[in-house]
């Protein structure tokens, strides 16, 4: 089972200087879900249904240069992070879903590693 769960917005592509087209699909598969259930059960149970919202309206985004993952962060009741990476088939998949401590998130924001999404552009 593989299904589309979101897509890359023009703003995220521009902010992170990604070499992909706006509207490029983001998928989730059974192995991705199994990983989340096994490794991040708390977050899976509480936030799995919020993945489309986080991908479409993140508060912050980041491109991790060490592994090429694209991180989407949204503050719900906590800071929730979704990691998206390209797979061997050339498609992008949600790989993980977890909470991030406020202190760590704030430090990444202060250091300019997490880039804010301009909410005014999305209205």
């Amino acid at each position: 089972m593989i299904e589309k769960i979101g897509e890359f917005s023009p703003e995220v592509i521009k902010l992170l200087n990604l070499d992909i087209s706006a509207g490029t699909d983001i998928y989730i598969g059974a192995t991705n879900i199994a990983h989340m259930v096994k490794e991040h059960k708390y977050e899976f149970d509480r936030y799995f249904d919020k993945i489309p919202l986080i991908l479409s309206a993140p508060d912050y985004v980041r491109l991790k240069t060490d592994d090429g993952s694209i991180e989407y962060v949204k503050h719900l009741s906590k800071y929730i992070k979704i990691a998206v990476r390209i797979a061997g088939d050339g498609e992008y998949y949600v790989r993980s879903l977890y909470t991030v401590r406020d202190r760590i998130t704030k430090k990444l924001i202060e250091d300019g590693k997490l880039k804010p999404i301009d909410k005014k552009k999305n209205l």
Side-chain angles (χ1 to χ4, degrees), residues 68-84:
S69 64
I70 299 151
E71 297 178 340
Y72 287 76
V73 177
K74 185 157 189 75
H75 190 271
L76 298 170
S77 58
K78 301 176 179 204
Y79 283 106
I80 308 303
K81 184 185 291 187
I82 295 174
V84 175

Side-chain angles (χ1 to χ4, degrees), residues 16-93:
L16 300 180
N17 197 27
L18 301 175
D19 188 20
I20 59 175
S21 300
T24 296
D25 293 334
I26 300 171
Y27 297 97
I28 193 162
T31 56
N32 309 118
I33 293 170
H35 165 77
M36 289 177 215
V37 170
K38 181 180 177 189
E39 301 295 329
H40 308 287
K41 179 81 169 115
Y42 171 87
E43 291 86 348
F44 180 84
D45 289 344
R46 285 158 186 81
Y47 303 108
F48 180 78
D49 64 332
K50 304 290 188 217
I51 291 176
L53 169 68
I54 296 167
L55 292 173
S56 66
D59 295 328
Y60 301 92
V61 291
R62 173 185 182 198
L63 176 61
K64 283 189 68 186
T65 55
D66 60 342
D67 66 3
S69 64
I70 299 151
E71 297 178 340
Y72 287 76
V73 177
K74 185 157 189 75
H75 190 271
L76 298 170
S77 58
K78 301 176 179 204
Y79 283 106
I80 308 303
K81 184 185 291 187
I82 295 174
V84 175
R85 284 202 313 253
I86 195 166
D89 64 1
E91 303 291 353
Y92 289 87
Y93 289 86

Side-chain angles (χ1 to χ4, degrees), residues 85-104:
R85 284 202 313 253
I86 195 166
D89 64 1
E91 303 291 353
Y92 289 87
Y93 289 86
V94 170
R95 298 290 192 177
S96 200
L97 164 73
Y98 48 96
T99 57
V100 184
R101 294 183 182 167
D102 287 0
R103 159 179 71 76
I104 292 170

Side-chain angles (χ1 to χ4, degrees), residues 103-117:
R103 159 179 71 76
I104 292 170
T105 302
K106 289 175 183 174
K107 177 75 171 137
L108 289 169
I109 294 167
E110 288 172 12
D111 292 348
K113 293 180 180 176
L114 276 175
K115 306 205 180 295
I117 298 292

